[in-house]
Amino acid sequence: MKSTTRITALAAGALIAALCSPVGAAHADTATPRIDLRVLVVSDGGPATDAIAAELDTAGTPYTEIDLRQSGRQVIDAAFLADTVDGQPRAKFQAVVLPNDNPFAAGSAEMAALAAYEQAYAIPQVDAYTYARPEAGLQYPVNGGYSGSIDGVAAQVTDAGKAGAFGYLDGAVPFEDNSADVGESYAYLSTPAAGADFTPYVDAAIPGTSNRGSLVGEYKHDGRRELVVTFVYNQYQQQFRLLARGIVEWATGGVHLGADRNYFAVHVDDVFAADDRWNSDLNCTPGDVDCTDGSVEPDPIRMTPDDVDHATSWQTSKDFTLDLAYNAVGTVNEREDNNGTDLLADELVADRDAFRWINHTYTHAFLGCEQDVTVVPWKCATNADGSTKWVSQSDISDEIATNRAWGESAGLPLESDELVTGEHSGLRILPQQPDDNPNLGPALTANGVAWLGSDNSRDPEQRQVGSATTVSRYPVNVFYNAAKAAEQVDEYNWIYTSRAQGGSGICEDNPATSTCLTAPLDTATGYGDYIVPLETKTALGHVLSNDPKPHFIHQSNLAEERIAYPVLNGVIDGYDALFADNAPLVNLRMKDIGSELGKRAAWKSALASGEVTAYRVGDTVTVQAPDDVAVSATVPAGTTAGGSAFGTAYAGGLSGWAEASAGPLTLALPSSADAPSTLRDAEGGTTAPDTSKAPRTRVPAGVTESVPFTPES
């Protein structure tokens, strides 16, 4: 081995003394420290630290980032890490995230300062992606381990991981293998080094052996704790999304600002109405404004009572509730055409309490500009002076109020302040209508609408329209005009193949489209083999990203062959196979999703402006935020606020919002919550930390590695 540079025990003690006793303050090695609830992220621009930072961003957990690539960056020293406030020692960060176990030059004063800080205040360190080596508590991979691709590997949470920060997982941690031609995950699998106090939390089988190697584990040494991660990842990969919560919970001891939950809501549009069917000969949908061959009559798709029975039994089996967005004109017309009979509506109304209901306007009319359908694609009609002709405020109000009145008379359990307009119309839509209908906002206000559905693919940010706040919805790529798998595949092929292959050419005109096909799918097998797995992966990715936005499908997808269910089953069953019972899917209605998104926006704005202060002293957390901002936090079970339980149980802890109020929020943690009661002093014999720079780690496929890696020898 090459010789490594070590700090002497005396030097380590001197650094800790500097941390504990800044200039002008008495040495207070027995004082109860204040730990600020903020994470220090030291980045080298790699995907692993970026992924952890993204998790903190999404959760609303404050952090400070230092980019080692930047000239003139903040130097990490004792004064940067700690000071005193009103005579009390203060640690400015509750956790440290490094790109690897030591990204600095050998003998670095910055690494020494970090090590001493971690010793003094019992601050955990996350090694975002490091090479397996004795300095990280592991044997070199050449000693019975493995280094290479782990695409498609089935990793597992160990018993120790389940008993700790990763206890929200059921056990399996599957690594993605999306393409046989692309390397997606590189890892070092190894066993603990001789004499190391190392506990694997996530491991996988070492190829060619009967042993298992650590992928995530805790290394205790020199009075410090490190979470050692030996596989590379980015923020979008499923394996990271599964482990992201646990990484943060381990680093913070389960006490931090912000929260992470897994949400899934599904809106079913056009209930009671019928959706027109795709025509494979015309490559359009008769009845739609852009399908101009008047010789072909529309072919309507409408649910039946059997489809309702299937939906209710499916909900029961999945412990899940669908949100039905309804258009009452569908049943009114059905009864007019059938001597007052509508068996579908009778069944839905009889089972109305099994679902949640959303006003989708009476006739599903287009509520933006008046459409000129004499051209393809349609355009906005104009007045004589060239100005846009808009659907009037009174017409919009009639659509909202008439549908609401019908729903109330039928006893539907409505929330009268929720609305989804037909095609999300009235809101801006490019290229034809770059602005909202100016009559939409006043109509929403007049009808008391507080929450308005929007299409996330074209209007992703929450915004105000009159009295309403938008709630962006994810479109599931199961088409409104398809009730059979072959229809779905035929239209999918038309949209996403080239003109030479008989397709629309959209992908040629828009090469950034992510769903383009190299060849048409088989209409007999393409749905189950290609579309369902892709849509399942996309939706599950949203679920695992702490994203509460709802998804939407159409009533046609629950009719005939019921093609939506394979995707919904894929998401829910796939989730249940990965997560423990203590982390169920959170299934909210639209207004509650809107409220969650609004609170998050206000919270993140307060964090960004520096208006939030939070710290822990022993078993007490104090949070000061603006009077009009609700506080988001995650804490251990047993935590109270003002004598009452804080938040609600999720993933083994408590999380939620403390509603905005004047004055600080004080949380009383249970005595079982680990925290340093006094400062630690390394003087007198504590082994000093090893500051040898970590060797280079391999990078994901597609990123050039300039030299082959050779471990120190």
Side-chain angles (χ1 to χ4, degrees), residues 57 74 152 178 215 299 315 338 351-352 364 366 374 408 415-416 445 450 473 566 590 596 610 621 651 680-681 709:
D57 269 328
Q74 170 69 52
N178 297 317
L215 289 165
D299 181 9
Q315 286 190 148
N338 293 278
D351 290 341
R352 58 187 176 271
H364 201 279
F366 190 84
T374 62
E408 291 172 346
E415 293 288 344
S416 61
T445 301
R473 309 189 305 161
M590 190 169 80
E596 172 72 19
V621 169
R680 301 176 180 180
D681 195 330
F709 172 73

Side-chain angles (χ1 to χ4, degrees), residues 232 520 630:
V232 71

Side-chain angles (χ1 to χ4, degrees), residues 647-701:
T648 54
Y650 195 77
L654 299 174
S655 56
W657 295 95
E659 293 304 322
S661 62
L665 168 69
T666 301
L667 299 172
L669 305 175
S671 58
S672 58
D674 292 334
S677 58
T678 59
L679 287 172
R680 301 176 180 180
D681 195 330
E683 295 183 79
T686 299
T687 302
D690 190 334
T691 62
S692 175
K693 178 180 176 64
R696 286 174 49 81
T697 46
R698 292 193 183 274
V699 293

